[in-house]
Amino acid sequence: KMASLVIAGIMAVSMAACTKDSGDKDMGALEKLTASGKLAIGTSADFPPYEFHKEINGKDTIVGFDIALAQAIADELGLKLEIKDMDFDGLLTALNAGTVDMVVAGMNPTAERALEVDFTKIYYTAEQTVLVKAENKDKYTSAASLAGLNIAAQKGTIQADLVAEQIENADIVALAKIPDLVMQLKSGMVEAIAVENAVAESYAKANPDLAVATFQFEIAEDEKGAAIAVKKGSEDLIEKLNEILDKLIADGKIDQFVVEANEMVE
Ligand code: ARG
């Protein structure tokens, strides 16, 4: 009798433990995020007009259309937005380590990255070009014209891959932050920086001695643009984010965020 009571007791305890465990597991990514009260995004704020530093009322602030987008998502979910600025090539590791809830960094949803994380739909389409010295603006019109040159790209980006794949014998200089690439270009250490059109335009606007070349890299249609990354297996969260993106796109909000971000670039 005593033994069966003990066994029943053990069973009750272990069943309770089981219920609690599976309860936690059943809680989807969206529910967990909502319960946490905050939305921590990882970004690399060297990418105007997507995300960049700007002094506002004497205070260093991270702004840009990715930030406006992240704020709109946080508002929609009723969460407090937190921005974590880091090197681009550390973002997916931070996401998988749980340091951030999502990555909003003008990131292309490549097949390779999709093995590691889940992506939303593309919220902004983009082409890839090179930023060069103003006097070379019309010199680099094709991949062949760039062959054999020193070309810079941000570490861990598709631009670094595009240079390796599409420019013959290029010497790639890969650095963590874009302003460091710009310094390399200005000092003549590299001839060009592989970067996205809108970002190249922003840097050219801020640096009159630089210009955007007419050359465009080739890039697969389904990877052409930026998407938000979340941890793998977050289907419910992806579904919700896509719903929010659809609405923001339909309401012209993203276009508006882009215009506003471009106005903030100096
Ligand atoms: N679109 C490129 C990629 O996904 C570069 C993105 C760089 N983003 C940044 N915030 N610096 O690889």
Side-chain angles (χ1 to χ4, degrees):
K1 180 101 203 268
M2 192 63 188
S4 61
L5 263 179
V6 168
I7 289 170
I10 290 171
M11 276 176 65
V13 168
S14 59
M15 268 169 68
C18 264
T19 319
K20 186 167 179 291
D21 259 18
S22 58
D24 257 12
K25 266 204 213 106
D26 284 350
M27 210 174 173
L30 175 61
E31 210 179 329
K32 265 190 217 160
L33 186 60
T34 319
S36 79
K38 61 174 185 54
L39 175 65
I41 65 147
T43 197
S44 171
D46 60 350
F47 209 57
Y50 287 80
E51 45 263 341
F52 54 105
H53 288 265
K54 190 178 169 78
E55 202 177 290
I56 295 177
N57 300 328
K59 204 169 155 260
D60 174 54
T61 314
I62 296 177
V63 295
F65 72 80
D66 269 350
I67 306 304
L69 170 62
Q71 185 63 61
I73 292 171
D75 291 346
E76 191 65 37
L77 297 175
L79 301 173
K80 188 175 178 306
L81 182 67
E82 260 174 35
I83 302 164
K84 299 195 178 172
D85 186 16
M86 49 187 99
D87 287 350
F88 184 80
D89 68 342
L91 286 170
L92 295 189
T93 309
L95 179 61
N96 280 325
T99 313
V100 298
D101 302 307
M102 32 187 241
V103 169
V104 191
M107 183 177 275
N108 293 63
T110 64
E112 199 185 334
R113 289 173 178 157
L115 297 173
E116 230 187 301
V117 295
D118 283 347
F119 281 106
T120 61
K121 59 166 54 190
I122 287 176
Y123 57 83
Y124 184 78
T125 3
E127 303 282 344
Q128 311 296 328
T129 184
V130 287
L131 182 65
V132 296
K133 280 196 174 155
E135 70 250 36
N136 292 334
K137 186 175 171 19
D138 302 314
K139 196 164 161 192
Y140 301 121
T141 52
S142 63
S145 66
L146 290 159
L149 300 178
N150 292 343
I151 300 178
Q154 187 170 29
K155 227 188 217 160
T157 62
I158 61 154
Q159 287 81 10
D161 294 340
L162 292 173
V163 173
E165 290 158 14
Q166 296 178 32
I167 313 289
E168 225 172 300
N169 296 321
D171 249 317
I172 307 174
V173 177
L175 300 175
K177 288 284 184 190
I178 297 181
D180 296 332
L181 306 177
V182 170
M183 270 167 55
Q184 294 265 317
L185 178 60
K186 289 194 176 209
S187 66
M189 305 288 281
V190 301
E191 271 301 289
I193 302 174
V195 75
E196 194 179 302
N197 285 17
V199 179
E201 299 287 355
S202 294
Y203 277 98
K205 189 172 159 194
N207 300 275
D209 53 333
L210 305 182
V212 185
T214 53
F215 169 67
Q216 299 277 297
F217 287 97
E218 278 165 37
I219 172 159
E221 209 51 53
D222 57 335
E223 296 184 352
K224 209 187 238 181
I228 296 170
V230 296
K231 246 189 180 164
K232 253 221 162 327
S234 311
E235 287 80 10
D236 58 332
L237 179 56
I238 287 288
E239 198 178 310
K240 181 72 189 173
L241 291 175
N242 280 338
E243 213 176 88
I244 296 174
L245 288 176
D246 277 338
K247 189 164 180 305
L248 291 172
I249 294 167
D251 292 350
K253 285 282 184 198
I254 304 220
D255 291 338
Q256 182 196 325
F257 296 156
V258 173
V259 170
E260 287 167 355
N262 274 315
E263 282 167 359
M264 282 192 273
V265 175
E266 57 220 74

